[in-house]
Amino acid sequence: MLSIKQLQEIITNEIDQLQLPEYPAELYEPIRYLLNLGGKRMRPVLTLMGCNLFSDGIQGAIKPALAVEVFHNFTLVHDDIMDNAPIRRGKATVHEKWDANSAILSGDVMMVNAYELLMQVPDSKLRDLLTIFNKTAIEVCEGQQIDMNFESREYVGVNEYLEMIGLKTAVLLGCSLQIGALIGNATTEEAEHLYQFGKNLGIAFQLQDDILDVFGEPEKFGKMVGGDIIANKKTFLLIKAHELAQGENKANLERWLTTKVFKTEDKVKAVTEIYDQLNIRKLAEIEMQHFAEKALFHINQISLSESRKQPLVEFAEQLMVREH
Amino acid sequence: MLSIKQLQEIITNEIDQLQLPEYPAELYEPIRYLLNLGGKRMRPVLTLMGCNLFSDGIQGAIKPALAVEVFHNFTLVHDDIMDNAPIRRGKATVHEKWDANSAILSGDVMMVNAYELLMQVPDSKLRDLLTIFNKTAIEVCEGQQIDMNFESREYVGVNEYLEMIGLKTAVLLGCSLQIGALIGNATTEEAEHLYQFGKNLGIAFQLQDDILDVFGEPEKFGKMVGGDIIANKKTFLLIKAHELAQGENKANLERWLTTKVFKTEDKVKAVTEIYDQLNIRKLAEIEMQHFAEKALFHINQISLSESRKQPLVEFAEQLMVREH
């Protein structure tokens, strides 16, 4: 079986070789730019791993793995417009470097490209894979809309939040694995367990992201620590703190959430202190652990040797202890 | 065989019955709103006509016809953001009524919905139909990008313009017919002729649009006559006038194109007079006729009775003599 590093290399090579037209340049340059910004290539690697779990040959999963990566990048380029984000992976976002119109339209083309790549599978699997992909694509859009709706709401519940990240982030990890599994000739049931593994892992992954944004070490995290606090982003941490804070903590939290003018380091420090007093980090870790365990439960339902499943288990463990 | 009116009613009924989730409302309300704005339903009607040409039963073409209509509406909602258009079919555009974010995201969902609808065909046809659809979808995006590029260019050639409208407008008419034909069990060759019929008709249709925008009768045209002139839109008429104008006409045209402050009626009147002196309307009609004849050539290559082809020929004729 291939290591994660080997799988990442396969994906990177394939992306380098992806043929895109030259004309019109305003449409295809942003696509090349975005796909070459790098990233962990987590989703396509999961597709290859999902396939490799059931089959030694992974050749047939490579184009569908790219489909998932191209789709993911389509969501990034459109989300970045909606979120008004200037930076993606340390570089200017597409709508900043070109303009919003190019970002909308090159995103649209990437969506079609994703379908073209996904279709490079045998006829016998085509409909099933497209059906899973369609369902996931719609859920990802729903997740993004719900996330945007949260911005204008005063209070969001923990369960609503978990549902949102399930849609916006987690289902695509599940889908990536499920598609790979089916290409590797898994049964429907096995592929469904792998989907649930990926989805639950995705929720755990996002909770870890929320934790790292506050408690990560700046030099390892790769972006500014405390960004979510500064933006009042309704993460698991803030939602939980909102739920638990009483008395002085509650008043302080409210004040920091409504104060418009502040030194960023003051706000980050003050809100982090409130989180500490309410033991929020621990609670987030328990929640994360809960979803990681659900993920492992599902992979354990698949009747294959432990050694065969080892790379995926390892991948899950790495996600949970990562520092960036 | 069914009349155009009957086919339109089938489509309208189906759109009324289209099931969309309620939540999140910000995502699905814009879709319902846009699909219910009406319009001629030209593309789905063409899919049904394409099917009906080869098969008496059209049931199997209904969902794919809706796919084409939903895809068309996806392009409208994204184009309207890019073009900053406030009005669509006499009502506020989605990005005006909601916001640009909802317009981007509900467009994205419609794109996926289009694939879901198109997939409601037998397995034996699935790959071919998706392949045609993907190719067309990408061409439509390319056409939109090229059209936007034209805005910042001083000079555009007639052939470039015809290529652009071919992509932006005409290929989808061809695709609509081709998909219908294949569902109706046409041969690949017959379906290709019908595609060419639709594509050439689409170019003629857009040229007619350009003509009507200047020379249409206001009460019949349904929108302000002269909108293209006011906006300096590089239509066939302006491009041709630019190519032919000499001396005083040339100087006047340049002046109107560069003057920033003007009474709209003065500009429309003056530019129309230049068009009249250069016989632009006639030249546009000749060009339109040329593509209409190419369209008819292709439908004549299909070995079916004239009576069978009559509805499509009639449809083409109606497009050419329409007043709105």
Side-chain angles (χ1 to χ4, degrees), chain A residues 49-307:
Chain A
M49 290 174 89
C51 181
N52 209 190
L53 181 62
F54 298 97
S55 152
D56 287 327
I58 58 158
Q59 198 57 37
I62 292 178
K63 298 295 180 195
L66 285 188
V68 170
E69 181 68 2
V70 170
F71 172 79
H72 174 58
N73 278 273
F74 143 75
T75 67
L76 296 182
V77 67
H78 279 192
D79 284 4
D80 282 344
I81 309 170
M82 298 183 230
D83 300 342
N84 226 334
I87 301 288
R88 163 72 59 191
R89 292 174 183 149
K91 296 274 176 72
T93 45
V94 168
H95 66 97
E96 280 285 322
K97 195 174 158 76
W98 285 270
D99 54 32
N101 288 357
S102 274
I104 293 172
L105 208 52
S106 58
D108 293 345
V109 170
M110 289 171 89
M111 176 81 138
V112 184
N113 289 154
Y115 280 99
E116 290 181 320
L117 288 160
L118 185 59
M119 282 176 60
Q120 296 182 39
V121 292
D123 283 354
S124 61
K125 299 189 195 292
L126 185 60
R127 185 180 295 277
D128 284 349
L129 296 185
L130 284 168
T131 303
I132 293 164
F133 184 78
N134 286 338
K135 175 174 169 283
T136 303
I138 285 183
E139 287 175 341
V140 171
C141 292
E142 290 178 347
Q144 168 68 6
Q145 183 66 54
I146 295 169
D147 193 20
M148 290 194 296
N149 291 352
F150 284 177
E151 284 172 34
S152 55
R153 282 175 50 185
E154 205 182 326
Y155 180 74
V156 170
V158 167
N159 285 338
E160 288 181 291
Y161 178 72
L162 294 173
E163 188 213 359
M164 184 278 284
I165 63 175
L167 294 168
K168 180 169 171 167
T169 304
V171 293
L172 186 54
L173 301 197
C175 165
S176 303
L177 282 160
Q178 189 180 15
I179 283 175
L182 291 171
I183 293 168
N185 293 319
T187 64
T188 311
E189 206 189 347
E190 287 167 333
E192 177 64 28
H193 278 302
L194 213 52
Y195 173 85
Q196 290 297 341
F197 167 77
K199 185 175 171 187
N200 283 292
L201 195 65
I203 297 173
F205 172 78
Q206 183 58 51
L207 291 170
Q208 175 76 322
D209 242 26
D210 290 359
I211 295 169
L212 285 171
D213 196 88
V214 177
F215 298 103
E217 290 180 47
E219 64 276 21
K220 290 179 183 161
F221 187 50
K223 49 184 176 178
M224 179 182 57
V225 166
D228 288 346
I229 289 177
I230 294 162
N232 287 349
K233 189 150 174 60
K234 294 187 185 71
T235 66
F236 182 86
L237 309 190
L238 179 56
I239 290 166
K240 203 73 196 169
H242 220 279
E243 191 183 297
L244 297 179
Q246 307 229 324
E248 199 182 337
N249 276 334
K250 187 174 176 170
N252 279 336
L253 186 59
E254 288 300 335
R255 192 163 49 78
W256 280 110
L257 286 173
T258 49
T259 303
K260 296 262 182 280
V261 183
F262 52 82
K263 274 196 188 159
T264 56
E265 59 267 38
D266 291 349
K267 179 167 176 177
V268 173
K269 188 163 174 283
V271 174
T272 305
E273 275 173 18
I274 297 169
Y275 286 173
D276 286 339
Q277 283 173 33
L278 297 169
N279 225 353
I280 297 294
R281 180 179 185 164
K282 187 73 198 163
L283 291 169
E285 283 171 353
I286 289 169
E287 194 75 26
M288 179 182 88
Q289 205 53 45
H290 166 73
F291 284 100
E293 278 163 19
K294 273 178 85 170
L296 291 175
F297 167 82
H298 281 286
I299 205 166
N300 285 335
Q301 301 306 302
I302 299 172
S303 304
L304 286 171
S305 68
E306 294 305 310
S307 68

Side-chain angles (χ1 to χ4, degrees), chain B residues 19-33:
Chain B
Q19 297 289 328
L20 288 170
E22 297 293 323
Y23 175 80
E26 295 79 1
L27 198 54
Y28 291 111
E29 274 176 11
I31 299 178
R32 259 185 294 269
Y33 171 78

